[in-house]
Amino acid sequence: MSMSSSSEVSKTAAPYGSWKSPITSDVVSGSSKRLGGTAVDSLGRLIWLESRPTESGRSVLVREAEKAGEEAVDITPKEFGVRTLAQEYGGGAFRVFGDTVVFSNYKDQRLYKQSLDSKDSSPVPLTPDNGKPLVSYADGVFDARFNRYVTVQEDRRENKLNPSTTIVAIGFGNKDIQEPEVLISGNDFYAFPRLDPKGEKIAWIEWSHPNMPWDKTELWVGYISETGEVYKRICVAGSDSTLVESPTEPKWSPDGELFFITDRKNGFWNIYKWIESENEVVAVYTVDAEFSGPLWVFGLNSYEFIQSNEKKNLIACSYRQNGRSYLGILDYVQGSLSLLDIPFTDIDNITSGNHCLYVEGASAVNPSSVAKVILDEHKSRAVEFEIIWSSSPDSSKYKSYFSLPELIEFPTEVPGQNAYAFFYPPTNPVYQGSQGEKPPLLLKSHGGPTAETRGMLSLSIQYWTSRGWAFVDVNYGGSTGYGREYRDRLLGRWGIVDVNDCCSCAKFLVDSGKVDGERLCITGGSAGGYTTLAALAFKETFKAGASLYGVADLGLLRAETHKFESHYIDNLVGNEKDYFERSPINFVDKFSCPIILFQGLEDKVVPPDQARKIYKALKEKGLPVALVEYEGEQHGFRKAENIKFTLEQQMVFFARLSITLTEFLVKSAI
């Protein structure tokens, strides 16, 4: 008898969904620390921004320990929190240069400067106190030539729904705090202000309504005068009407050459370079893979310039292809890429340290982490890999319970078009399913919708799989990571393509014999909550659903949402008839199964009225429906107690409805 079959025999047979698991809701909520970026100080020490559910989601800058075995040190004083509300989703909330950090403080949204090398370093405000947090900043850089900070500013003082966005300069040497000086203005949105090494040129990305930054953007370069003003501008990419592209992540090399990422021609975000003398753009490396992602938050940093011992000019970069990430070193003179072998299969940002790289990433067995990667002298091979920070440092103790994701490709309703998902089978070292039984399925539809789910360790997924549920995370048509053509499948068809693909995925798993066709549930947050509600209203595939801060009324969303996304859904939906016909709230009579709704009361992206309207309508119809509202939560839940309660309530709700599960099983599942 083989070892695998003997271990199977030793397992206890129990109905799927009833298995006991040490991955409790407390474990999940305690493991939900989020990373908000990384940087390196003047001594080469890593600094990162983490949000802490146990401190009501407060975000804190932390410096790595001086010596092995010592504790990492909090930089941010207890009365401060590092988070910007620019474009609601924030990002780019701090910048380290030398021994100084500039950060956005959550409570008042002002910028503060703080010394890193002093024991008692109180943050000093750089921007005016407006009485209310009405002006936000993001994605700033230090301008050594003029001793100032150049950053994106979002000003809501005159119009909260349509704030003005500009690139401004904030002086460091002023005795009195002054209103920032506007350097660049006139368009709807700006990102990535980046100065060349001499401070003589500035690059930036801009775009205008109705585009999102993954639809169409422009890369500009401005020349800076002796007095610090931008006196001449050139559009480097994005103005050619024959090319549809969305340039992103401009960055100057140490030699003063401008590099950036764009998706011209092949439809994939690849690395390009600007030849200033010719005002010409040339490809550095072309492949059908994504070297960057959608600009939902400020501060993306997908590549860094490094040097080998032979003084070769190299770029450390990562790209995504076929559902996973690769870390590589690009010789941009030769145009050759060598891959580095590291345990991460999912990579976000890269920060260059002293003779090393700090890589934000994850894998099927590593949660969101930061690893220190030391390269050999030629910078062609990884010789050391060490996890410095983990969102869930204790997760490895549950490794025997981990369900490993399987990338699946399934047919959609459009002949010849396939879509992708990560399937997690039920996994538990103690239990196996009852004979002849197939597991219930929880299908997750990701938010965005222009985003991507990844096959990385998430204890919130393992919470389900370790209890005997199958789980599938769908990258429906319109998701990122598979190029522009795949991304554009959703244009004019939101509420159709995503819904059909989720239903097709569930059907594919039923037809493959992997799950029980009578016990299919669906969940999703934000745009994924909309897909959940639309699937339950317009299809009969699923037996129950959970919508987290989801959209019920597309027209209401368009009228009430914030500036960044105010025209987004016009591109995704279409005309007034489409808005009406694809809004689940208008077809309450078509709902026929139970739904649970979760909503933050301070949500400005999907206001609380949406959840209340659907709850009221379903209650009047007599359907089982529950609404959970959270004080002090915005778009996405940050407090540990709310993350925990949301997970528990979904489990109770779905377990009650799963027709083969008894009252006993409901209790044992939590």
Side-chain angles (χ1 to χ4, degrees), residues 308-610:
S308 69
N309 286 8
E310 300 95 354
K311 301 293 183 198
K312 273 189 183 173
N313 294 318
L314 306 171
I315 292 175
C317 56
S318 76
Y319 65 82
R320 284 191 71 73
Q321 192 174 47
N322 300 325
R324 66 157 289 170
S325 299
Y326 299 86
L327 181 66
I329 303 295
L330 175 62
D331 183 329
Y332 56 84
V333 177
Q334 300 290 329
S336 61
L337 182 78
S338 55
L339 294 180
L340 302 175
D341 185 15
I342 65 168
F344 286 161
T345 53
D346 293 280
I347 295 167
D348 280 318
N349 297 310
I350 299 170
T351 297
S352 182
N354 288 353
H355 311 294
C356 69
L357 298 172
Y358 291 104
V359 180
E360 298 175 27
S363 72
V365 293
N366 289 305
S368 175
S369 308
V370 180
K372 183 178 188 176
V373 180
I374 296 177
L375 307 177
D376 66 358
E377 59 184 21
H378 305 297
K379 303 291 187 276
S380 60
R381 198 166 57 87
V383 292
E384 270 186 56
F385 178 92
E386 179 193 1
I387 301 282
I388 302 289
W389 177 88
S390 171
S391 59
S392 177
D394 296 330
S395 61
S396 58
K397 69 168 76 160
Y398 308 109
K399 196 168 181 178
S400 63
Y401 287 82
F402 290 168
S403 174
L404 301 181
E406 173 194 339
L407 178 65
I408 59 171
E409 185 175 349
F410 58 90
T412 69
E413 291 200 357
V414 179
Q417 270 192 7
N418 289 352
Y420 306 92
F422 290 102
F423 175 69
Y424 298 79
T427 306
N428 188 305
V430 180
Y431 296 99
Q432 63 185 20
S434 304
Q435 195 170 2
E437 187 196 5
K438 296 275 171 43
L441 173 72
L442 182 58
L443 180 144
K444 184 183 175 191
S445 170
H446 66 68
T450 312
E452 178 189 12
T453 191
R454 298 183 171 195
M456 56 189 270
L457 179 63
S458 164
L459 291 184
S460 61
I461 291 175
Q462 304 299 328
Y463 177 83
W464 295 90
T465 55
S466 63
R467 284 169 171 72
W469 283 73
F471 194 103
V472 68
D473 216 345
V474 184
N475 276 318
Y476 46 78
S479 301
T480 55
Y482 296 90
R484 183 179 280 268
E485 192 179 317
Y486 194 84
R487 200 162 75 233
D488 284 352
R489 284 187 191 178
L490 211 56
L491 292 180
R493 295 179 61 76
W494 190 31
I496 298 173
V497 169
D498 50 320
V499 170
N500 287 345
D501 286 359
C502 286
C503 293
S504 295
C505 182
K507 182 179 183 300
F508 175 79
L509 291 171
V510 172
D511 293 346
S512 307
K514 291 185 173 178
V515 301
D516 183 348
E518 294 304 311
R519 293 190 286 166
L520 304 176
C521 299
I522 184 170
T523 186
S526 190
Y530 165 69
T531 302
T532 294
L533 293 172
L536 295 172
F538 305 128
K539 299 282 186 176
E540 295 179 354
T541 306
F542 300 99
K543 307 300 182 193
S547 168
L548 286 69
Y549 39 93
V551 180
D553 186 332
L554 293 171
L556 193 61
L557 177 69
R558 179 174 56 173
E560 291 186 339
T561 200
H562 58 134
K563 178 188 174 185
F564 178 59
E565 294 183 82
S566 58
H567 292 266
Y568 181 29
I569 52 173
D570 288 341
N571 297 334
L572 294 174
V573 179
N575 59 35
E576 293 303 319
K577 182 168 173 279
D578 296 321
Y579 269 92
F580 182 85
E581 290 184 349
R582 291 190 219 157
S583 292
I585 193 67
N586 299 324
F587 298 91
V588 178
D589 56 312
K590 294 195 172 185
F591 283 99
S592 58
C593 68
I595 299 172
I596 187 166
L597 308 151
F598 300 89
Q599 180 68 43
L601 292 179
E602 290 183 19
D603 194 335
K604 290 185 176 67
V605 180
V606 180
D609 281 356
Q610 297 257 339

